[in-house]
Amino acid sequence: MKIKILIVEDQFIEANNLKIILKKAGYRICTIARSVPEALQILASEQPEMVLLDIYLDGPQTGIDLGRMLRERNIAFVFLSANSNKQTLNAAKATNPYGFLVKPFREKDVLIMLEVALYAHQQKRETQYLTAKPAASSVEKNLFPQIIGHSKKLQEVLEQAKIVGPAETSVLILGESGTGKELIAQSIHQVSNRRNKKLVVVNCGALPASLIESELFGHEKGSFTGASEKRIGKFEEADGGTIFLDEIGELPLDLQVKFLRVLQQKEIEPLGGKKKSINVRVIAATNRNLEEAMATGRFRMDLYYRLNVFPILLPPLRDRKEDIPDLANYFIRLYAQKENKVVSGLSDEAIKSMQNYHWPGNIRELENLMERSVLLTSGRVITSVPIPVSLKKGAHTFKTGLKTMTENERDHILAALEMSEWKIYGEGGAAEMLDMNGATLYSRMKKLGIEKKIVPR
């Protein structure tokens, strides 16, 4: 028998439509609540396992208030949302729901979101169980020797990796380019129960669109022009182990559907072949904002919530500057040995200049800079690091006075916004002036740090 669901919705027609959809699918439905006090009474008397929760309800308390209470009680919930403003949606997201259903509802969307939410809740419970278990002291010692740094933010990431490692949960690693997402994926695999099996790494952004499906799922001989022999896909290669899908945000929509089927049904279908069952743990990573990608239709909501069961956010290097000396010295030793040089480290002045730098390329940029510094130095101590002048934090223009392309784009968008009195969408809006989609403009504004102004009319 399927689970019991509580609908908290003050609009009778919408609540009743949801009730019909859920009953038809075999779910048990509690008494419908129109306000937070009613919902709390029903929670106590009927004990639902999932709550579908509107944001705006009868009475002074909102669905966001109830969401906080449900989170404390470890009861799964999904928000029902119309076109709410950004501030409201951010407040709702802060309660960590298992998803959002946008009104008006489609039956298929409701059922898929429920399935994903229940899966995520089950995985979370497994993770909580693992967290509560005392770790063996032998494992605690030097658990991730390949990870360098002692900052609080890095230690929080390693603690999360330690918790989720032994679980079978999908993991989504988020962070800017060069922050070490693949290294964290390797660390999770190394403390998992699959550590003796393969970790297969796939960079989704580096695969040609025409070859992605064959690369991931394989193909039979003769299945398409040029398929002269059978090919084993990356998922089958990782069977029994872990697959790490880097830059998952670059996966085309049609492949996202097939990938979702792998997560849901644990099976693949090679091109020209038959379906095969596989046993693979998925770790994915991206430097993209997947919520923005969902809003613009470039990433599937159901896939996002399948992957986002256990997100790990890697801090950029500028937010963990206390780790710079350790990282720099590690790379100096590495490249000094490679170049057969004797280099003991960095001067205090060099370290200070590095800690004042913004590091847009993160650890990858630091490594490249240390390699170059080792090549350039003639002494045992590196006293000067060739930090790019034009990219120093606070520097806005090159010495020539020219602005960067990003700065020009920002100025251009600001000019359009001023001309449209900060109206983004619709007739006469900045998006129309710039001949671009409103959602794309909003995304660019967010990336460029442009906050929308409220202009009195």
Side-chain angles (χ1 to χ4, degrees):
M1 184 179 287
K2 290 195 174 180
I3 65 160
K4 189 188 290 185
I5 297 175
L6 167 61
I7 299 169
V8 186
E9 168 64 75
D10 63 345
Q11 299 296 319
F12 172 78
I13 293 175
E14 289 176 345
N16 197 52
N17 286 342
L18 271 176
K19 181 178 179 180
I20 292 169
I21 290 170
L22 297 174
K23 275 199 163 185
K24 183 180 171 184
Y27 289 100
R28 294 173 291 154
I29 310 300
C30 298
T31 307
I32 292 173
R34 294 168 56 86
S35 66
V36 173
E38 284 182 20
L40 292 172
Q41 288 179 2
I42 296 167
L43 283 167
S45 60
E46 302 185 37
Q47 298 182 338
E49 296 148 280
M50 167 71 70
V51 179
L52 299 182
L53 174 59
D54 193 14
I55 292 178
Y56 298 108
L57 301 168
D58 279 355
Q61 290 177 294
T62 67
I64 295 172
D65 297 319
L66 181 56
R68 296 189 188 102
M69 300 176 206
L70 294 172
R71 179 59 62 184
E72 289 174 3
R73 300 182 187 194
N74 202 20
I75 297 173
F77 65 99
V78 170
F79 275 118
L80 311 175
S81 171
N83 292 321
S84 299
N85 61 50
K86 184 179 177 182
Q87 186 177 1
T88 302
L89 286 176
N90 284 341
K93 279 161 48 179
T95 65
N96 295 319
Y98 286 103
F100 287 84
L101 275 169
V102 181
K103 301 176 183 179
F105 312 119
R106 293 189 308 168
E107 181 177 349
K108 183 180 178 182
D109 292 339
V110 171
L111 298 179
I112 288 174
M113 178 54 72
L114 267 178
E115 183 187 344
V116 171
L118 290 168
Y119 169 82
H121 190 56
Q122 180 185 357
Q123 296 295 310
K124 184 194 171 193
R125 282 180 170 177
E126 289 182 13
T127 304
Q128 287 173 332
Y129 170 72
L130 287 167
T131 309
K133 289 172 65 177
S137 58
S138 59
V139 178
E140 287 291 332
K141 294 178 181 178
N142 205 23
L143 191 62
F144 302 115
Q146 72 278 29
I147 306 291
I148 296 165
H150 60 275
S151 64
K152 182 180 178 182
K153 289 193 175 183
L154 178 63
Q155 294 309 311
E156 287 172 355
V157 167
L158 297 184
E159 181 65 24
Q160 289 176 307
K162 180 183 73 176
I163 289 168
V164 79
E168 289 296 301
T169 307
S170 299
V171 180
L172 181 60
I173 304 174
L174 306 165
E176 297 176 9
S177 292
T179 48
K181 295 186 286 293
E182 184 174 339
L183 198 57
I184 294 298
Q186 291 171 359
S187 301
I188 291 169
H189 176 71
Q190 286 166 9
V191 296
S192 75
N193 298 324
R194 298 170 180 261
R195 66 177 72 85
N196 296 322
K197 298 289 185 177
K198 264 185 132 176
L199 169 66
V200 176
V201 177
V202 182
N203 186 335
C204 299
L207 295 174
S210 58
L211 297 178
I212 293 179
E213 185 170 2
S214 172
E215 186 75 16
L216 292 179
F217 308 122
H219 65 254
E220 296 294 327
K221 181 179 179 180
S223 57
F224 57 87
T225 304
S228 56
E229 57 185 23
K230 179 178 177 178
R231 180 187 180 92
I232 300 296
K234 296 296 186 182
F235 274 96
E236 190 171 353
E237 188 183 335
D239 196 16
T242 305
I243 189 166
F244 173 55
L245 298 171
D246 199 6
E247 302 305 342
I248 191 69
E250 308 302 322
L251 205 62
L253 280 169
D254 58 334
L255 265 296
Q256 291 178 28
V257 176
K258 295 184 179 182
F259 177 36
L260 183 63
R261 189 188 308 136
V262 176
L263 288 173
Q264 290 174 330
Q265 301 173 6
K266 304 294 183 184
E267 64 180 23
I268 58 169
E269 186 173 357
L271 289 169
K274 296 179 180 178
K275 292 179 180 178
K276 298 178 181 179
S277 295
I278 57 163
N279 175 16
V280 174
R281 186 194 191 169
V282 173
I283 302 175
T286 183
N287 61 2
R288 285 188 177 275
N289 185 325
L290 292 185
E291 290 182 356
E292 284 184 6
M294 282 194 297
T296 55
R298 290 180 288 109
F299 202 83
R300 291 181 62 95
M301 182 181 286
D302 46 7
L303 177 55
Y304 172 75
Y305 282 108
R306 274 279 179 182
L307 289 172
N308 200 42
V309 175
F310 197 99
I312 295 179
L313 178 61
L314 298 194
L317 187 56
R318 60 184 171 274
D319 289 345
R320 43 175 289 217
K321 288 189 174 181
E322 56 265 57
D323 291 334
I324 287 175
D326 290 341
L327 286 163
N329 284 315
Y330 169 81
F331 291 126
I332 287 169
R333 288 194 299 271
L334 179 69
Y335 289 106
Q337 185 177 15
K338 185 178 178 181
E339 298 299 325
N340 199 25
K341 280 188 168 186
V342 179
V343 184
S344 59
L346 293 152
S347 68
D348 291 343
E349 186 178 342
I351 291 173
K352 185 177 179 180
S353 71
M354 291 170 67
Q355 289 184 320
N356 287 333
Y357 181 53
H358 195 55
W359 297 106
N362 293 295
I363 299 170
R364 190 179 294 128
E365 183 184 11
L366 174 63
E367 179 179 0
N368 293 339
L369 210 56
M370 290 304 96
E371 182 179 10
R372 186 179 173 196
S373 297
V374 167
L375 289 170
L376 291 173
T377 190
S378 56
R380 294 176 62 93
V381 176
I382 296 172
T383 57
S384 178
V385 177
I387 291 174
V389 175
S390 62
L391 293 178
K392 281 184 179 177
K393 188 177 180 182
H396 296 291
T397 58
F398 290 94
K399 289 182 179 179
T400 59
L402 290 174
K403 291 186 176 182
T404 65
M405 292 296 289
T406 299
E407 288 165 340
N408 278 321
E409 180 187 13
R410 192 175 192 277
D411 289 348
H412 193 57
I413 289 174
L414 281 168
L417 288 165
E418 293 289 350
M419 289 176 66
S420 64
E421 296 185 321
W422 286 82
K423 179 182 177 183
I424 297 176
Y425 305 93
E427 187 177 350
E432 184 182 67
M433 287 185 190
L434 296 169
D435 192 23
M436 64 194 301
N437 181 275
T440 304
L441 174 57
Y442 185 78
S443 173
R444 294 303 303 161
M445 287 172 60
K446 188 172 180 181
K447 188 167 185 178
L448 294 166
I450 300 172
E451 293 289 337
K452 185 178 177 183
K453 289 183 183 177
I454 305 299
V455 179
R457 296 185 184 276

